Amino acid sequence: VQLQASGGGLVQAGGSLRLSCAASGRTSTSYTMGWFRQAPGKEREFVAALAVFRWSDYNTYYADSVKGRFTISRDNAKNTVYLQMTSLKPEDTAVYYCAADLSSVISTVPRRYEYWGQGTQVTVSS
């Protein structure tokens, strides 16, 4: 599975950005797509995940720090997962990574994800 993340950029506090993660290669009817982020000097942390089972059913899960502000969604036709980020704060500044695992069990632990995309920088100015 290859993952290509895009959509990062510079935005003022209170603004919005939408990240995209396009997947290609091996497919599965059950999988989990996750977004993580890593700020300088900090560990990679979980942001949001979307678990799909039997193609149509899915669950989502968010870190408390982004709940109500970020939304993860998918477009099956485009094999793409999105992270819509609103009400951005300076503390959201980080490199954002998308990740995939071929199971439908959501995990917040980075090592549980087998496939990773390159990061995309999100910078929120105050």
Side-chain angles (χ1 to χ4, degrees):
V1 176
Q2 292 78 46
L3 303 176
Q4 181 71 38
S6 62
L10 173 63
V11 64
Q12 288 188 331
S16 300
L17 279 175
R18 188 179 78 161
L19 306 183
S20 300
C21 179
S24 61
R26 181 180 176 183
T27 61
S28 174
T29 57
S30 297
Y31 60 90
T32 298
M33 297 292 292
W35 285 98
F36 290 79
R37 65 187 182 187
Q38 189 165 19
K42 295 188 177 181
E43 293 187 353
R44 192 166 297 189
E45 67 172 358
F46 172 80
V47 175
L50 183 151
V52 177
F53 41 102
R54 299 188 300 274
W55 277 123
S56 59
D57 298 323
Y58 67 95
N59 289 329
T60 59
Y61 187 73
Y62 298 91
D64 288 342
S65 60
V66 306
K67 201 172 295 183
R69 300 188 298 122
F70 291 10
T71 302
I72 188 170
S73 62
R74 63 176 183 146
D75 184 331
N76 276 348
K78 297 181 178 180
N79 290 329
T80 299
V81 171
Y82 303 98
L83 184 68
Q84 179 67 50
M85 306 185 294
T86 63
S87 301
L88 282 161
K89 305 174 182 180
E91 51 263 44
D92 294 318
T93 295
V95 177
Y96 284 69
Y97 298 89
C98 63
D101 182 64
L102 297 181
S103 76
S104 58
V105 178
I106 288 180
S107 174
T108 63
V109 179
R111 66 176 181 270
R112 290 289 305 274
Y113 290 79
E114 184 173 359
Y115 305 98
W116 289 84
Q118 89 292 357
T120 185
Q121 176 72 46
V122 172
T123 303
V124 184
S125 62
S126 57

